Amino acid sequence: MNILFCVKQVPGSNNVQVDPVTGVLKRNGIESKINPYDLYAIEVALSLSEKFGGTVKSITMGPPQAKAAIEETICMGATSGTVLSDRKFAGADVLATAYTLSQGIIKSGNFDIIICGKQTTDGIPHIN
């Protein structure tokens, strides 16, 4: 079974400011971590791989430092990972992010299952 999961780096602090001109989070000098909801996706992907065999890959979109998130997923058990990074992606909204990830996923190979977390901790609050 070929499994892919998506991860996102988010600020490791609640003390993050928004640039008033661009509307983008100011991430300089702020430590990042894997989005907590994505940890569930990682756990499910690794459990499925353990049960059914196959490969587990990770993918993320972000600045070059997002490579640290992919390296962390490899330490957790992913066989490989991909970082989609370009200055043109800065400040991407959810539609642009989803499109970019979809194209990266298509170029990464064929997968039996793609797993994503529920939401991000650095986005607009989600009402259930």
Side-chain angles (χ1 to χ4, degrees), residues 81-115:
T82 301
V83 178
L84 305 174
S85 186
D86 191 303
R87 291 192 62 74
K88 295 175 188 172
F89 300 158
D93 62 13
V94 294
L95 181 60
T97 300
Y99 180 76
T100 302
L101 282 170
S102 73
Q103 297 308 296
I105 289 168
I106 289 168
K107 291 191 182 274
S108 293
N110 294 317
F111 299 96
D112 298 302
I113 187 168
I114 300 168
I115 305 171

Side-chain angles (χ1 to χ4, degrees), residues 25-37:
L25 292 178
K26 295 180 180 180
R27 297 177 185 263
N28 291 343
I30 302 290
E31 188 175 329
S32 296
K33 64 180 183 179
I34 291 179
N35 179 53
Y37 290 108

Side-chain angles (χ1 to χ4, degrees), residues 54-78:
T55 62
V56 178
K57 296 181 179 181
S58 58
I59 191 168
T60 193
M61 179 182 119
Q65 60 264 34
K67 180 180 178 185
I70 294 301
E71 290 170 345
E72 189 174 344
T73 67
I74 292 169
C75 289
M76 296 170 86

